[in-house]
Amino acid sequence: MSRQPGLFETETAAPPKRRAAGAGDVRTARDSPLLEAPPLPVDIRLGTSSWFFPGWRGLVYDAVHPQVTLSRKGLAAYAEIPLLRTVSLDRTFYTPISTADYARYASQVPEHFSFVVKAPALVCDAVMRDEEGRGKVPNPYFLDAAVATREFVVPCLEGLKAKAGPLVFQVSPLPRSLVEDATLLVERLEAFFAALPQVLGGLQPLYALELRNPELLTPRLMRMLARAGVRYCVGLHDRMPEIERQETALRALDGDQPGPLVVRWNLHRGFLYQAAKQRYEPFDRLVDEDAETRRVLARMAAAAHKAGRKVWITANNKAEGSAPLSILKLAREIDNLLG
């Protein structure tokens, strides 16, 4: 059954009033170049993957704070920057969090803000992994809709409410045996999404699927997502094809009824995650600009907006070196295209 995207925004995107400073507060950088970003339409939401990076002093935060402090107190300062209208909640991939935790995040951001939320590996990874990330044994909860509903969908929507944006199921790299039987896997995915809540508390969840196996990016999968009313999340990662091929797959999914655009700009092509991390820390400048990817993303976002679709794009520090600066340049390119 086709699912509409739901009630995930307000009419305006006016920035919140600056909070009064208190002891130990994390405050927004007053001279941040992000404050000079062009004002984009409210339905184009740009942001970063997480927000707790000490190297963002002068870009997002007014001072250097420990990562643990930014994790707890930095979100409100992040969300005071009008350009940053979304953020990817990545910690939820590693372990489920409670309704109270989601509600605490929601309380720190303005009404127009919308989170991109990653589903836990508990239901997205086909194997149980050790501390080094090596798969050991099959995961009995892989694509278990009851567990996903209980541990993720319900607490997420009850906590974030209308501030819940795309709920992204990033399926970790799959064992060869599952990929070789792709037909069965697509059927399992379809049954999984069909069994998730279609409406909860008056909200219609926007589910999205992100892959780490390029061989699964097929017309069969796109047809299934179209039937299920699930979005394909364009995941820019070294394991996946270039953005142009993913854009083509997205057009195959959309057909005559295009849906919201969900993009996670994760990693600079040609780099492994740890290598990019070491090269780019402390994430305070652009090191390896990817002008072509940015150009395509801007074109996709502008086209989606002109077609009346909602847009969520989040950038990781490992994409170019500094996620806030990647988003700033992307916003300028989108603004130029929108005229």
Side-chain angles (χ1 to χ4, degrees):
M1 180 176 66
S2 178
R3 184 187 296 107
Q4 295 300 314
L7 309 174
F8 294 129
E9 71 248 41
T10 58
E11 290 300 317
T12 62
K17 297 179 180 178
R18 185 175 293 274
R19 295 166 291 115
D25 255 6
V26 176
R27 291 178 291 184
T28 306
R30 294 189 178 186
D31 297 323
S32 170
L34 306 185
L35 297 174
E36 300 175 4
L40 296 178
V42 65
D43 281 346
I44 299 179
R45 292 188 172 89
L46 307 181
T48 66
S49 292
S50 302
W51 62 86
F52 43 75
F53 301 100
W56 287 2
R57 184 182 76 84
L59 291 175
V60 177
Y61 306 113
D62 70 335
V64 174
H65 299 278
Q67 189 173 60
V68 64
T69 300
L70 293 177
S71 179
R72 294 173 179 170
K73 301 181 178 181
L75 180 58
Y78 170 100
E80 283 186 355
I81 297 177
L83 171 65
L84 302 176
R85 298 176 183 170
T86 187
V87 73
S88 180
L89 274 179
D90 290 353
R91 66 169 286 204
T92 53
F93 179 76
Y94 302 100
T95 185
I97 67 175
S98 68
T99 298
D101 284 333
Y102 282 116
R104 179 169 55 86
Y105 289 138
S107 71
Q108 297 176 59
V109 300
E111 291 305 310
H112 70 272
F113 198 92
S114 177
F115 292 88
V116 176
V117 193
K118 290 184 67 175
L122 176 67
V123 294
C124 294
D125 199 337
V127 296
M128 306 290 284
R129 299 182 186 272
D130 61 19
E131 291 183 357
E132 283 72 42
R134 294 186 295 261
K136 292 298 186 181
V137 296
N139 175 11
Y141 304 116
F142 178 54
L143 299 183
D144 186 320
V147 173
T149 298
R150 181 181 70 246
E151 300 293 332
F152 175 53
V153 178
V154 170
C156 177
L157 291 184
E158 287 185 345
L160 296 182
K161 296 184 169 37
K163 295 175 183 176
L167 277 56
V168 178
F169 291 83
Q170 180 218 297
V171 176
S172 299
L174 294 168
R176 179 55 50 188
S177 58
L178 287 177
V179 176
E180 288 175 347
D181 196 353
T183 300
L184 178 59
L185 178 62
V186 170
E187 290 175 354
R188 286 186 64 184
L189 283 165
E190 184 166 16
F192 170 76
F193 284 117
L196 295 178
Q198 305 293 305
V199 179
L200 191 67
L203 297 172
Q204 296 174 302
L206 174 58
Y207 298 125
L209 174 68
E210 184 178 351
L211 299 175
R212 288 292 184 269
N213 288 86
E215 57 269 52
L216 296 178
L217 195 62
T218 63
R220 181 189 299 275
L221 178 73
M222 295 300 112
R223 289 193 296 269
M224 180 278 288
L225 295 177
R227 290 193 300 271
V230 174
R231 298 305 297 159
Y232 173 69
C233 175
V234 177
L236 304 182
H237 192 279
D238 188 58
R239 288 181 174 271
M240 293 301 293
E242 63 280 359
I243 187 172
E244 290 86 354
R245 183 182 163 194
Q246 295 194 57
E247 183 185 20
T248 298
L250 191 60
R251 285 198 296 265
L253 163 62
D254 283 339
D256 296 330
Q257 295 182 321
L261 176 64
V262 183
V263 180
R264 295 200 329 116
W265 190 4
N266 298 298
L267 184 63
H268 196 285
R269 191 152 190 83
F271 281 86
L272 297 177
Y273 182 90
Q274 193 60 34
K277 182 176 185 292
Q278 293 174 354
R279 179 173 173 82
Y280 297 151
E281 283 184 318
F283 313 126
D284 58 351
R285 62 191 178 92
L286 296 181
V287 179
D288 295 311
E289 292 201 43
D290 188 350
E292 179 61 18
T293 293
R294 191 187 310 123
R295 181 188 66 80
V296 177
L297 285 177
R299 184 188 71 215
M300 293 172 68
H305 173 71
K306 290 175 181 178
R309 294 186 285 158
K310 302 166 190 170
V311 175
W312 286 266
I313 300 177
T314 60
N316 194 296
N317 285 319
K318 289 79 179 177
E320 295 185 299
S322 176
L325 292 176
S326 292
I327 288 302
L328 175 60
K329 285 206 163 188
L330 177 60
R332 288 171 175 165
E333 292 205 24
I334 294 172
D335 184 62
N336 287 338
L337 292 175
L338 294 178

